Amino acid sequence: MSDFFDAAETQAPAGREATLFARLPGFLAAIRDAVPGWTARLAAVDVAAVTSRAALAAIPVLRKPELMAAQAAEPPFGGFVDAGRLDGARYFMSPGPVWEPQGPGADPWGAARAFFAAGIRRGDLVHNALAYHMTPGGFILDEGARALGARVFPAGVGNTEQQVEAAAILRPDAYAGTPDFLKVLLDRAAEMGRDLSSIRKAIVSGGALFPLLRGEYRRRGVTVMQAYATADLGVIAYETAAGGEPLPGMVVNEDLIVEIVRPGTDDPVAPGEVGELVVTNFNPAYPLVRFGTGDLSAVLDGPSPCGRTNLRIRGWMGRADQRTKIKGMFVDPKQIDSVVKSVPGIARARLVVSRDGDRDAMLLKVEPANGGAVDLAAIAAALTAETKLKGEVEVAMSLPNDGKVIEDTRDYSK
C-alpha cells in the first residue's frame, strides 16, 4: 500500500513550482474574461507575464472585508464567481455573512489528501461531526472522505447523546470534526456506558488542537491529525506523520500557491517570518487570486520527513486581524458591533475568547453608556443570535480605549 495519495505529493519541488506558474497566466486570462470581479481587478495586469512569485506579488491581495463589501453590494457573490459553472452546486453562508459556492467535481475542496495523510482509507467509516447546516464545513470533509472511498455518517453538530448511540451501533473507524467535540463524544459515551473504542483515527479542523488535548486522545487510543481549511478555499494544508507520530508543521495542498505577506500589506515576508497566509487557487467556478485568509503562519525550512515535497507551513498561528475562530465558527468585529447597536445602553463592548478546560469560551464585556444599567439577558440573547454561539456577559465600567473589539487570550502553546 502506498504511503502517498498520488505521485504529485512527491514530485520535485522545482517541477511543481514550474507547473503551477505555467498554468497561472492562462487561468488568470480565463477568469479575467469570465468573472466580472476579476475583470476589474486584473484590468491593469499583464496576465501573460505572471509566471513567477515576484510577478504574482504585484497583484493586490483580496481580503475578506473587501470581498464581503463586494458581496453586500452585489449579492450573493459580489461578481467573483463564474455563474455558468455553478449548475448543480450548493450555496453556503458563513458567519459575517460571507457567501461561498461549492466548486465543480468530486472533492472540490481538496480534502481527500488530508484524510489519506491521517491514515483513513477506502472502506473506513467516518463519523463526520462538522456542521452541514448553511456552512460548508461538513461538506468539505464529507466530499473528501467519499472521494477517497471512505464511508460517511453525516452526524453534524449537537445531539450528543444521539451521536453517541449512532456511533456505538455503526462502529466508525474514524472521527472528523472540531478538536473539542471528539472529547465530548468520548466522555459522554463513558457516562452512558457506550463503547466508542472503534474510533482509532481522527481528522480535526475548525479550531486549534492543543497539545494537552492531543495527548489525551493518544492515551485513549486515538491518533488525531489536523487539517487547516477555510470555507473559501477548502483544505489549504494538513498534518502528516512518520511512525505514527505527527511531524512538525503542515504540508500545503497540491494545486495551491501559498504566500506569507506582512499583515496589512501585499508584500511577501522573508522565509520563516510570521505573516498573513495568502492563497491562490485554480478553481474555475470560484477563483481566488492572492486571497488573504487573515490567518497568521510561517513557512518551515525544508521538506517534510514524511516524503511529501510541497511547501510546509507552521499551521494556524492566530489571526492577522480581529476576526476570530471560536468553536469552529468565525466571529467578526462587525457582529459585536451589531450586538451593541441592538441593545440600548451599551457604550462599548469587547469579546474575550479563552479556554474553559478543553473548550473555547467567550465573555462579552460591556461598558454601559453614561454609567447606566444594561440588560445582560438581552445582550446574551443578541450575542447568540448574531454569532450562533453562546457566551457569558458581564459589565465592565471602563474598557481600554485601544480599539480592540475581540481579544483572544487562548494560549496555543498548551
Side-chain angles (χ1 to χ4, degrees), residues 26-52:
F27 177 72
L28 294 178
I31 66 172
R32 179 194 59 195
D33 295 342
V35 183
W38 289 109
T39 302
R41 288 187 72 85
L42 297 174
V45 177
D46 180 4
V47 296
V50 186
T51 57
S52 66

Side-chain angles (χ1 to χ4, degrees), residues 164-182:
V164 168
E165 295 286 4
I169 293 171
L170 293 173
R171 306 292 292 165
D173 304 279
Y175 163 90
T178 60
D180 297 350
F181 190 63
L182 175 57

Side-chain angles (χ1 to χ4, degrees), residues 150-215:
R151 305 157 189 181
V152 178
F153 174 62
V157 298
N159 304 306
T160 304
E161 292 187 1
Q162 289 180 312
Q163 292 209 33
V164 168
E165 295 286 4
I169 293 171
L170 293 173
R171 306 292 292 165
D173 304 279
Y175 163 90
T178 60
D180 297 350
F181 190 63
L182 175 57
K183 184 176 185 302
V184 173
L185 284 180
L186 296 178
D187 289 347
R188 186 64 61 84
E191 294 170 2
M192 295 169 61
R194 295 292 186 265
D195 178 12
L196 298 192
S197 62
S198 64
I199 299 175
R200 286 289 177 259
K201 298 170 281 192
I203 183 166
V204 299
S205 193
L209 174 61
F210 294 87
L212 288 176
L213 188 56
R214 194 203 290 266

Side-chain angles (χ1 to χ4, degrees), residues 13-355:
R16 177 187 291 108
E17 188 86 346
T19 299
L20 288 172
F21 281 94
R23 292 172 60 191
L24 189 57
F27 177 72
L28 294 178
I31 66 172
R32 179 194 59 195
D33 295 342
V35 183
W38 289 109
T39 302
R41 288 187 72 85
L42 297 174
V45 177
D46 180 4
V47 296
V50 186
T51 57
S52 66
R53 288 183 178 269
L56 179 60
I59 298 175
V61 172
L62 173 64
R63 290 189 165 87
K64 186 88 67 172
E66 187 177 1
L67 179 62
M68 291 170 64
Q71 291 186 349
E74 188 182 342
F77 301 118
F80 282 93
V81 301
D82 184 346
R85 294 179 179 269
L86 296 183
D87 291 350
R90 297 180 177 95
Y91 287 10
F92 299 101
M93 183 183 73
S94 294
V98 183
W99 301 91
E100 304 102 359
Q102 179 173 336
D107 192 23
W109 294 281
R113 293 182 189 279
F115 275 91
F116 190 93
I120 296 162
R121 297 292 184 267
R122 176 177 295 275
D124 283 348
L125 175 60
V126 177
H127 183 107
N128 185 14
L130 272 190
Y132 283 81
H133 180 61
M134 293 192 183
T135 63
F139 289 96
I140 291 174
L141 297 185
D142 189 297
E143 293 277 348
R146 293 192 302 114
L148 188 64
R151 305 157 189 181
V152 178
F153 174 62
V157 298
N159 304 306
T160 304
E161 292 187 1
Q162 289 180 312
Q163 292 209 33
V164 168
E165 295 286 4
I169 293 171
L170 293 173
R171 306 292 292 165
D173 304 279
Y175 163 90
T178 60
D180 297 350
F181 190 63
L182 175 57
K183 184 176 185 302
V184 173
L185 284 180
L186 296 178
D187 289 347
R188 186 64 61 84
E191 294 170 2
M192 295 169 61
R194 295 292 186 265
D195 178 12
L196 298 192
S197 62
S198 64
I199 299 175
R200 286 289 177 259
K201 298 170 281 192
I203 183 166
V204 299
S205 193
L209 174 61
F210 294 87
L212 288 176
L213 188 56
R214 194 203 290 266
E216 177 175 342
Y217 288 143
R218 185 182 294 113
R219 290 189 295 274
R220 298 173 82 158
V222 186
T223 299
V224 182
M225 305 289 282
Q226 297 180 90
Y228 166 49
T230 70
D232 320 90
L233 295 156
V235 174
I236 297 170
Y238 52 90
E239 284 189 319
T240 64
E245 291 298 318
L247 293 167
M250 293 183 172
V251 174
V252 170
N253 213 344
E254 301 295 327
D255 298 319
L256 298 177
I257 299 173
V258 164
E259 305 169 85
I260 307 291
V261 307
R262 197 168 306 285
T265 78
D266 299 334
D267 306 326
V269 301
E273 188 174 341
V274 176
E276 181 183 6
L277 189 76
V278 169
V279 181
T280 297
N281 68 12
F282 287 88
N283 182 342
Y286 187 33
L288 293 171
V289 178
R290 300 204 83 207
F291 182 71
T293 63
D295 292 334
L296 294 174
S297 195
V299 172
L300 287 179
D301 187 37
S304 171
C306 73
R308 292 171 178 82
T309 58
N310 209 348
L311 194 73
R312 282 189 305 160
I313 60 174
R314 290 176 61 183
W316 188 79
M317 299 175 65
R319 293 290 295 170
D321 56 23
Q322 292 185 46
R323 195 165 179 262
T324 303
K325 188 176 284 186
I326 308 168
K327 301 179 184 178
M329 302 284 280
F330 277 115
V331 177
D332 193 275
K334 289 183 178 179
Q335 293 173 282
I336 306 306
D337 182 61
S338 295
V339 173
V340 170
K341 291 176 178 176
S342 68
V343 181
I346 305 174
R348 289 187 293 169
R350 175 189 297 236
L351 187 69
V352 179
V353 187
S354 62
R355 293 288 283 180

